[in-house]
Protein backbone atom coordinates (compact mmCIF):
# COMPACT_ATOMS: atom_id res chain seq x y z
CA UNK A 1 0.00 0.00 0.00
CA UNK A 2 1.15 3.51 -0.80
CA UNK A 3 2.80 5.28 2.13
CA UNK A 4 1.31 8.75 2.60
CA UNK A 5 2.04 11.74 4.84
CA UNK A 6 -1.19 11.32 6.80
CA UNK A 7 -3.71 8.61 7.59
CA UNK A 8 -6.35 8.38 10.31
CA UNK A 9 -7.61 4.80 10.02
CA UNK A 10 -5.36 3.26 12.70
CA UNK A 11 -6.37 6.00 15.11
CA UNK A 12 -10.04 5.46 14.30
CA UNK A 13 -9.70 1.74 14.97
CA UNK A 14 -8.19 2.51 18.39
CA UNK A 15 -10.72 5.19 19.35
CA UNK A 16 -13.83 3.92 17.59
CA UNK A 17 -15.97 3.10 20.65
CA UNK A 18 -15.38 6.54 22.16
CA UNK A 19 -16.06 8.35 18.87
CA UNK A 20 -19.26 6.44 18.17
CA UNK A 21 -20.36 7.19 21.72
CA UNK A 22 -19.73 10.89 20.98
CA UNK A 23 -22.03 10.68 17.95
CA UNK A 24 -24.71 8.88 19.97
CA UNK A 25 -24.42 11.44 22.78
CA UNK A 26 -25.21 14.26 20.35
CA UNK A 27 -28.04 12.43 18.59
CA UNK A 28 -29.69 11.64 21.94
CA UNK A 29 -29.18 15.16 23.34
CA UNK A 30 -32.32 16.75 21.91
CA UNK A 31 -30.42 19.82 20.67
CA UNK A 32 -28.49 19.48 17.43
CA UNK A 33 -27.17 23.04 16.96
CA UNK A 34 -25.33 25.18 19.55
CA UNK A 35 -26.13 22.76 22.35
CA UNK A 36 -24.35 21.18 25.30
CA UNK A 37 -21.44 19.79 23.27
CA UNK A 38 -20.45 23.14 21.73
CA UNK A 39 -20.80 24.85 25.12
CA UNK A 40 -18.79 22.07 26.77
CA UNK A 41 -16.04 22.09 24.17
CA UNK A 42 -15.76 25.89 24.29
CA UNK A 43 -15.36 25.82 28.08
CA UNK A 44 -12.86 22.95 27.98
CA UNK A 45 -10.77 24.35 25.11
CA UNK A 46 -10.58 27.76 26.81
CA UNK A 47 -9.61 26.11 30.11
CA UNK A 48 -6.96 23.92 28.42
CA UNK A 49 -5.31 27.19 27.31
CA UNK A 50 -6.15 29.14 30.46
CA UNK A 51 -7.88 31.59 28.08
CA UNK A 52 -11.00 33.53 29.04
CA UNK A 53 -13.15 32.80 25.95
CA UNK A 54 -13.48 30.26 23.16
CA UNK A 55 -16.02 30.55 20.33
CA UNK A 56 -16.55 27.47 18.16
CA UNK A 57 -16.91 28.12 14.43
CA UNK A 58 -17.33 26.00 11.32
CA UNK A 59 -13.71 25.93 10.07
CA UNK A 60 -10.32 27.59 10.39
CA UNK A 61 -10.74 29.87 7.39
CA UNK A 62 -13.88 31.43 8.84
CA UNK A 63 -12.19 31.55 12.26
CA UNK A 64 -9.66 33.96 10.72
CA UNK A 65 -12.30 36.04 8.88
CA UNK A 66 -14.65 36.34 11.85
CA UNK A 67 -11.79 37.07 14.26
CA UNK A 68 -10.59 39.92 12.02
CA UNK A 69 -14.12 41.33 11.89
CA UNK A 70 -14.56 40.95 15.66
CA UNK A 71 -11.25 42.79 16.18
CA UNK A 72 -12.70 45.71 14.19
CA UNK A 73 -10.88 45.17 10.90
CA UNK A 74 -12.88 46.85 8.11
CA UNK A 75 -12.84 46.69 4.32
CA UNK A 76 -9.72 48.40 2.97
CA UNK A 77 -7.67 47.92 6.16
CA UNK A 78 -4.26 46.31 5.67
CA UNK A 79 -3.30 43.11 7.49
CA UNK A 80 0.36 42.05 7.47
CA UNK A 81 1.06 38.33 7.18
CA UNK A 82 3.23 35.86 5.22
CA UNK A 83 2.96 34.21 1.82
CA UNK A 84 4.52 30.95 3.08
CA UNK A 85 1.24 29.71 4.57
CA UNK A 86 -1.85 27.74 3.68
CA UNK A 87 -3.77 29.85 1.14
CA UNK A 88 -6.83 30.00 3.48
CA UNK A 89 -4.97 32.42 5.78
CA UNK A 90 -4.90 34.91 2.92
CA UNK A 91 -8.35 34.04 1.55
CA UNK A 92 -9.76 34.78 5.00
CA UNK A 93 -8.20 38.27 5.04
CA UNK A 94 -9.64 38.84 1.57
CA UNK A 95 -13.06 37.61 2.71
CA UNK A 96 -13.08 40.25 5.45
CA UNK A 97 -12.54 42.84 2.72
CA UNK A 98 -9.09 43.65 4.10
CA UNK A 99 -5.88 43.87 2.09
CA UNK A 100 -3.19 41.23 2.75
CA UNK A 101 0.36 42.62 2.89
CA UNK A 102 3.26 40.17 2.91
CA UNK A 103 6.63 40.06 4.60
CA UNK A 104 9.16 37.33 3.83
CA UNK A 105 10.04 34.41 6.12
CA UNK A 106 13.23 33.55 7.99
CA UNK A 107 15.64 31.22 6.22
CA UNK A 108 16.04 28.97 9.30
CA UNK A 109 12.47 28.37 10.58
CA UNK A 110 10.51 29.41 7.43
CA UNK A 111 8.30 31.53 9.73
CA UNK A 112 7.47 35.26 9.53
CA UNK A 113 10.60 37.45 9.59
CA UNK A 114 9.44 39.89 12.25
CA UNK A 115 12.39 42.18 11.44
CA UNK A 116 10.53 43.15 8.24
CA UNK A 117 7.28 44.17 9.94
CA UNK A 118 8.06 47.80 10.78
CA UNK A 119 8.80 48.60 7.14
CA UNK A 120 5.55 46.92 6.01
CA UNK A 121 3.32 49.08 8.24
CA UNK A 122 1.49 51.96 6.49
CA UNK A 123 -1.19 54.43 7.58
CA UNK A 124 -3.82 51.84 6.63
CA UNK A 125 -2.36 48.88 8.58
CA UNK A 126 -4.71 47.66 11.31
CA UNK A 127 -3.54 44.16 12.22
CA UNK A 128 -0.59 41.74 12.24
CA UNK A 129 -1.37 38.10 11.48
CA UNK A 130 1.51 35.78 12.46
CA UNK A 131 1.11 32.17 11.25
CA UNK A 132 2.58 29.59 13.63
CA UNK A 133 3.38 27.37 10.66
CA UNK A 134 4.32 23.66 10.80
CA UNK A 135 3.85 23.53 14.60
CA UNK A 136 6.06 26.23 16.11
CA UNK A 137 5.47 29.86 17.02
CA UNK A 138 6.54 33.07 15.36
CA UNK A 139 8.93 35.19 17.47
CA UNK A 140 6.28 37.24 19.27
CA UNK A 141 8.23 39.87 21.28
CA UNK A 142 9.40 41.91 18.27
CA UNK A 143 5.97 41.49 16.65
CA UNK A 144 4.24 42.79 19.77
CA UNK A 145 6.61 45.76 19.86
CA UNK A 146 5.58 46.76 16.32
CA UNK A 147 1.89 46.20 17.14
CA UNK A 148 2.11 48.36 20.26
CA UNK A 149 4.06 51.13 18.52
CA UNK A 150 1.35 51.44 15.83
CA UNK A 151 -1.79 50.43 17.75
CA UNK A 152 -2.34 47.25 15.71
CA UNK A 153 -4.40 44.18 16.62
CA UNK A 154 -2.58 40.82 16.70
CA UNK A 155 -4.39 37.73 15.40
CA UNK A 156 -2.51 34.42 15.66
CA UNK A 157 -3.19 31.79 12.98
CA UNK A 158 -2.91 28.68 15.17
CA UNK A 159 -4.30 26.20 12.64
CA UNK A 160 -1.02 24.25 12.75
CA UNK A 161 0.03 24.91 16.33
CA UNK A 162 -2.37 23.34 18.86
CA UNK A 163 -0.37 22.87 22.06
CA UNK A 164 2.80 24.57 20.77
CA UNK A 165 4.56 26.72 23.38
CA UNK A 166 6.55 29.94 23.07
CA UNK A 167 8.72 30.77 26.10
CA UNK A 168 6.39 28.51 28.09
CA UNK A 169 3.13 30.10 26.90
CA UNK A 170 0.64 28.29 24.69
CA UNK A 171 0.01 29.31 21.09
CA UNK A 172 -3.39 30.96 21.09
CA UNK A 173 -2.67 33.09 24.16
CA UNK A 174 0.04 35.28 22.61
CA UNK A 175 -2.09 37.86 20.75
CA UNK A 176 -5.46 39.61 20.97
CA UNK A 177 -7.25 36.64 19.41
CA UNK A 178 -6.26 33.31 17.87
CA UNK A 179 -7.85 31.27 15.07
CA UNK A 180 -7.77 27.46 15.15
CA UNK A 181 -8.77 24.85 12.58
CA UNK A 182 -9.86 21.32 13.49
CA UNK A 183 -9.59 19.96 9.94
CA UNK A 184 -8.90 16.20 10.23
CA UNK A 185 -5.12 16.38 9.62
CA UNK A 186 -4.48 19.07 12.24
CA UNK A 187 -2.80 18.37 15.59
CA UNK A 188 -6.31 18.46 17.10
CA UNK A 189 -8.62 17.37 14.28
CA UNK A 190 -12.21 16.23 13.99
CA UNK A 191 -13.89 13.88 11.50
CA UNK A 192 -14.85 16.72 9.19
CA UNK A 193 -14.57 20.50 9.51
CA UNK A 194 -14.39 22.67 12.59
CA UNK A 195 -12.68 25.76 13.98
CA UNK A 196 -12.53 28.08 16.99
CA UNK A 197 -11.34 31.48 18.10
CA UNK A 198 -9.70 32.08 21.48
CA UNK A 199 -9.60 35.54 23.05
CA UNK A 200 -9.24 37.15 26.45
CA UNK A 201 -11.37 40.14 25.36
CA UNK A 202 -15.05 39.94 26.35
CA UNK A 203 -16.10 42.33 23.58
CA UNK A 204 -14.34 40.28 20.91
CA UNK A 205 -16.01 37.17 22.32
CA UNK A 206 -19.46 38.81 22.19
CA UNK A 207 -18.90 40.03 18.63
CA UNK A 208 -17.82 36.54 17.51
CA UNK A 209 -20.96 34.95 18.98
CA UNK A 210 -23.07 37.33 16.88
CA UNK A 211 -20.95 37.02 13.74
CA UNK A 212 -21.21 33.21 13.65
CA UNK A 213 -24.98 33.37 14.23
CA UNK A 214 -26.29 35.44 11.28
CA UNK A 215 -25.18 38.66 13.01
CA UNK A 216 -28.02 38.16 15.50
CA UNK A 217 -28.03 39.28 19.13
CA UNK A 218 -30.88 36.95 19.92
CA UNK A 219 -33.04 34.70 17.79
CA UNK A 220 -34.32 36.47 14.66
CA UNK A 221 -32.89 39.94 15.51
CA UNK A 222 -29.88 41.05 13.43
CA UNK A 223 -27.61 43.64 15.04
CA UNK A 224 -24.54 43.31 12.83
CA UNK A 225 -23.67 42.84 9.18
CA UNK A 226 -22.09 41.05 7.51
CA UNK A 227 -23.46 38.17 9.55
CA UNK A 228 -22.44 34.59 8.85
CA UNK A 229 -23.74 31.12 9.52
CA UNK A 230 -20.44 29.81 10.88
CA UNK A 231 -21.32 27.67 13.87
CA UNK A 232 -19.25 24.75 15.11
CA UNK A 233 -21.37 21.63 14.63
CA UNK A 234 -22.48 19.70 17.74
CA UNK A 235 -21.09 16.42 16.38
CA UNK A 236 -17.66 17.87 15.82
CA UNK A 237 -17.71 19.65 19.17
CA UNK A 238 -18.40 16.36 20.97
CA UNK A 239 -15.71 14.52 18.97
CA UNK A 240 -13.28 17.33 19.79
CA UNK A 241 -14.11 17.10 23.52
CA UNK A 242 -13.11 13.44 23.46
CA UNK A 243 -9.96 14.08 21.45
CA UNK A 244 -8.92 17.09 23.56
CA UNK A 245 -8.45 14.67 26.48
CA UNK A 246 -5.83 12.90 24.34
CA UNK A 247 -4.16 15.98 22.85
CA UNK A 248 -1.06 15.80 25.06
CA UNK A 249 -0.59 12.16 24.02
CA UNK A 250 -0.96 13.02 20.32
CA UNK A 251 1.68 15.73 20.67
CA UNK A 252 4.08 13.41 22.52
CA UNK A 253 3.67 10.82 19.75
CA UNK A 254 4.42 13.41 17.06
CA UNK A 255 7.55 14.49 18.94
CA UNK A 256 8.71 10.88 19.19
CA UNK A 257 8.41 10.50 15.40
CA UNK A 258 10.31 13.77 14.91
CA UNK A 259 13.11 12.56 17.22
CA UNK A 260 13.45 9.36 15.18
CA UNK A 261 13.65 11.26 11.91
CA UNK A 262 16.18 13.63 13.43
CA UNK A 263 18.44 10.84 14.67
CA UNK A 264 18.21 8.79 11.48
CA UNK A 265 18.52 11.65 8.98
CA UNK A 266 21.20 13.84 10.58
CA UNK A 267 24.03 14.01 8.06
CA UNK A 268 21.85 12.68 5.21
CA UNK A 269 22.07 15.90 3.20
CA UNK A 270 18.51 16.96 4.05
CA UNK A 271 18.06 20.23 5.93
CA UNK A 272 15.98 19.15 8.96
CA UNK A 273 13.50 21.38 10.85
CA UNK A 274 15.12 23.99 13.11
CA UNK A 275 13.31 24.84 16.33
CA UNK A 276 13.72 28.49 17.34
CA UNK A 277 14.95 29.22 20.90
CA UNK A 278 12.06 29.27 23.37
CA UNK A 279 9.77 27.16 21.17
CA UNK A 280 8.26 23.76 21.91
CA UNK A 281 7.43 22.34 18.46
CA UNK A 282 4.35 20.12 17.93
CA UNK A 283 5.33 18.95 14.40
CA UNK A 284 2.05 19.38 12.53
CA UNK A 285 4.20 18.67 9.49
CA UNK A 286 7.84 17.57 9.42
CA UNK A 287 9.33 19.76 6.70
CA UNK A 288 12.74 19.01 5.20
CA UNK A 289 14.62 20.81 2.47
CA UNK A 290 16.86 19.71 -0.41
CA UNK A 291 17.80 21.40 -3.72
CA UNK A 292 17.00 18.15 -5.61
CA UNK A 293 13.51 17.92 -4.08
CA UNK A 294 11.60 17.03 -7.24
CA UNK A 295 13.99 14.22 -8.15
CA UNK A 296 13.87 12.83 -4.60
CA UNK A 297 10.06 12.80 -4.59
CA UNK A 298 9.94 11.10 -8.00
CA UNK A 299 12.39 8.35 -6.95
CA UNK A 300 10.58 7.73 -3.65
CA UNK A 301 7.33 7.27 -5.55
CA UNK A 302 8.76 5.11 -8.35
CA UNK A 303 10.96 2.84 -6.23
CA UNK A 304 9.17 2.70 -2.88
CA UNK A 305 5.53 3.71 -3.46
CA UNK A 306 6.01 6.58 -0.99
CA UNK A 307 3.88 9.63 -1.91
CA UNK A 308 5.07 12.66 0.06
CA UNK A 309 3.57 16.13 0.21
CA UNK A 310 4.74 19.73 -0.17
CA UNK A 311 3.54 22.40 2.28
CA UNK A 312 3.37 24.46 0.12
CA UNK A 313 4.33 24.09 -3.54
CA UNK A 314 3.23 27.63 -4.57
CA UNK A 315 3.80 30.79 -2.53
CA UNK A 316 0.40 32.45 -2.10
CA UNK A 317 1.51 35.73 -3.72
CA UNK A 318 2.47 33.95 -6.98
CA UNK A 319 -0.90 32.21 -7.50
CA UNK A 320 -3.11 33.62 -10.26
CA UNK A 321 -6.03 33.93 -7.83
CA UNK A 322 -4.04 36.49 -5.87
CA UNK A 323 -2.74 38.47 -8.85
CA UNK A 324 -4.88 41.42 -7.71
CA UNK A 325 -2.59 41.83 -4.69
CA UNK A 326 0.11 43.04 -7.08
CA UNK A 327 3.09 40.93 -5.98
CA UNK A 328 5.13 39.54 -8.84
CA UNK A 329 7.53 36.68 -8.56
CA UNK A 330 10.81 37.89 -7.02
CA UNK A 331 8.97 39.93 -4.35
CA UNK A 332 9.64 37.46 -1.52
CA UNK A 333 12.87 35.64 -2.37
CA UNK A 334 13.14 33.31 0.64
CA UNK A 335 9.51 32.20 0.39
CA UNK A 336 9.94 31.55 -3.34
CA UNK A 337 13.20 29.60 -2.93
CA UNK A 338 11.66 27.40 -0.22
CA UNK A 339 8.67 26.45 -2.36
CA UNK A 340 11.01 24.73 -4.81
CA UNK A 341 12.99 22.77 -2.21
CA UNK A 342 10.81 21.75 0.74
CA UNK A 343 8.81 18.57 1.27
CA UNK A 344 7.12 16.85 4.18
CA UNK A 345 7.67 13.40 5.67
CA UNK A 346 4.81 11.24 7.01
CA UNK A 347 3.73 12.63 10.39
CA UNK A 348 0.78 11.62 12.55
CA UNK A 349 0.48 10.22 16.07
CA UNK A 350 -0.38 6.66 15.04
CA UNK A 351 2.35 6.44 12.35
CA UNK A 352 3.62 2.84 12.72
CA UNK A 353 7.30 2.35 13.55
CA UNK A 354 7.65 0.02 10.58
CA UNK A 355 6.46 2.77 8.22
CA UNK A 356 8.89 5.23 9.81
CA UNK A 357 11.67 2.70 9.16
CA UNK A 358 10.64 2.28 5.51
CA UNK A 359 10.57 6.03 4.93
CA UNK A 360 13.97 6.51 6.59
CA UNK A 361 15.52 3.62 4.65
CA UNK A 362 14.11 4.81 1.33
CA UNK A 363 15.29 8.38 1.91
CA UNK A 364 18.82 7.29 2.84
CA UNK A 365 18.94 5.09 -0.25
CA UNK A 366 17.69 7.80 -2.61
CA UNK A 367 19.89 10.53 -1.07
CA UNK A 368 22.93 8.24 -1.20
CA UNK A 369 22.45 7.69 -4.92
CA UNK A 370 22.06 11.34 -5.97
C1 LIG B 1 -5.70 24.51 7.75
C2 LIG B 1 -5.30 25.94 7.80
C3 LIG B 1 -6.23 26.98 7.67
C4 LIG B 1 -7.65 26.76 7.26
O1 LIG B 1 -8.39 25.94 8.10
P1 LIG B 1 -9.68 25.17 7.50
O2 LIG B 1 -10.28 24.55 8.72
O3 LIG B 1 -9.19 24.18 6.51
O4 LIG B 1 -10.57 26.21 6.91
C5 LIG B 1 -5.79 28.28 7.85
N1 LIG B 1 -4.49 28.56 8.12
C6 LIG B 1 -3.57 27.58 8.21
C7 LIG B 1 -2.15 27.96 8.51
C8 LIG B 1 -3.93 26.25 8.03
O5 LIG B 1 -3.00 25.29 8.11
Amino acid sequence: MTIRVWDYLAEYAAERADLLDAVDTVFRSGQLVLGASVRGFEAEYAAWHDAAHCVGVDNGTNAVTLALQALGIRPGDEVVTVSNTAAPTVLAIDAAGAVPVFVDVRPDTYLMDTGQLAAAVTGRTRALLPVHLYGQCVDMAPLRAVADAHGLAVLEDCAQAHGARHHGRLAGTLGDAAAFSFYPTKVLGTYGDGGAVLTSDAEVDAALRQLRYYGMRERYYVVRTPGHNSRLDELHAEILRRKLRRLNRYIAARRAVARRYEQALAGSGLVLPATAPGNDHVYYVYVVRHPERDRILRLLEERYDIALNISYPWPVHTMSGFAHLGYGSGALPITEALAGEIFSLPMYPSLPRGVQDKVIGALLDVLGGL
Side-chain angles (χ1 to χ4, degrees):
M1 223 174 78
T2 306
I3 293 176
R4 302 186 183 283
V5 285
W6 185 77
D7 177 61
Y8 71 93
L9 289 172
E11 185 177 286
Y12 181 57
E15 301 183 359
R16 184 163 179 261
D18 187 43
L19 295 168
L20 293 181
D21 183 65
V23 173
D24 190 50
T25 298
V26 171
F27 285 5
R28 284 190 291 108
S29 72
Q31 186 171 357
L32 297 173
V33 174
L34 292 185
S37 294
V38 168
R39 282 193 301 276
F41 174 69
E42 288 176 341
E44 288 155 15
Y45 202 59
W48 197 86
H49 289 87
D50 207 7
H53 309 280
C54 171
V55 180
V57 296
D58 51 350
N59 57 63
T61 309
N62 287 339
V64 174
T65 300
L66 271 61
L68 287 171
Q69 291 172 333
L71 288 166
I73 307 308
R74 313 219 151 277
D77 291 349
E78 292 178 3
V79 176
V80 184
T81 190
V82 287
S83 175
N84 184 38
T85 183
T89 306
V90 185
L91 290 170
I93 296 170
D94 211 51
V99 180
V101 172
F102 299 117
V103 293
D104 212 342
V105 292
R106 296 172 53 98
D108 50 357
T109 56
Y110 317 155
L111 301 178
M112 175 183 271
D113 182 351
T114 54
Q116 298 186 13
L117 286 171
V121 172
T122 74
R124 287 183 301 281
T125 309
R126 293 288 176 272
L128 304 180
L129 204 167
V131 182
H132 302 319
L133 202 70
Y134 305 142
Q136 71 170 323
C137 292
V138 169
D139 190 10
M140 292 300 282
L143 182 140
R144 179 45 82 180
V146 173
D148 288 348
H150 299 276
L152 311 176
V154 175
L155 173 61
E156 302 170 75
D157 184 336
C158 292
Q160 305 195 359
H162 315 67
R165 285 181 186 270
H166 186 58
H167 299 288
R169 287 174 59 195
L170 280 166
T173 65
L174 307 169
D176 299 306
F180 286 85
S181 164
F182 306 118
Y183 183 76
T185 62
K186 308 290 185 180
V187 176
L188 178 62
T190 186
Y191 282 65
D193 281 307
V197 181
L198 289 185
T199 182
S200 55
D201 185 324
E203 283 179 31
V204 173
D205 171 69
L208 284 162
R209 289 179 192 284
Q210 294 172 351
L211 284 162
R212 74 167 173 186
Y213 187 69
Y214 317 110
M216 290 178 181
R217 179 189 64 205
E218 57 190 300
R219 192 127 75 111
Y220 305 141
Y221 193 89
V222 173
V223 290
R224 176 191 289 276
T225 55
H228 308 259
N229 178 354
S230 280
R231 301 176 291 245
L232 176 62
D233 190 90
E234 279 289 288
L235 270 181
H236 296 301
E238 189 60 32
I239 289 168
L240 288 163
R241 294 179 81 178
R242 310 300 177 99
K243 292 192 70 176
L244 180 58
R245 296 170 198 152
R246 301 188 276 270
L247 179 54
N248 284 326
R249 266 200 276 143
Y250 299 144
I251 292 170
R254 286 176 179 273
R255 288 186 177 140
V257 175
R259 273 197 304 276
R260 285 214 65 217
Y261 283 148
E262 195 177 304
Q263 282 160 7
L265 298 171
S268 67
L270 292 175
V271 179
L272 302 181
T275 304
N279 273 353
D280 292 322
H281 207 308
V282 293
Y283 299 101
Y284 169 59
V285 282
Y286 192 91
V287 173
V288 298
R289 181 174 185 178
H290 195 285
E292 301 250 34
R293 187 266 316 273
D294 292 340
R295 202 163 139 220
I296 294 168
L297 291 188
R298 186 163 37 76
L299 291 171
L300 287 171
E301 190 134 27
E302 282 171 10
R303 290 193 200 154
Y304 297 96
D305 202 13
I306 296 174
L308 297 185
N309 199 27
I310 302 171
S311 295
Y312 294 92
W314 300 286
V316 171
H317 70 282
T318 65
M319 297 183 197
S320 61
F322 294 104
H324 62 284
L325 300 179
Y327 290 81
S329 93
L332 301 166
I334 297 173
T335 297
E336 290 165 35
L338 279 179
E341 298 191 352
I342 55 175
F343 61 106
S344 314
L345 307 191
M347 175 56 81
Y348 49 96
S350 60
L351 182 65
R353 233 187 129 82
V355 177
Q356 298 170 37
D357 291 336
K358 277 189 195 161
V359 170
I360 289 165
L363 271 168
L364 292 175
D365 177 52
V366 165
L367 288 161
L370 285 181

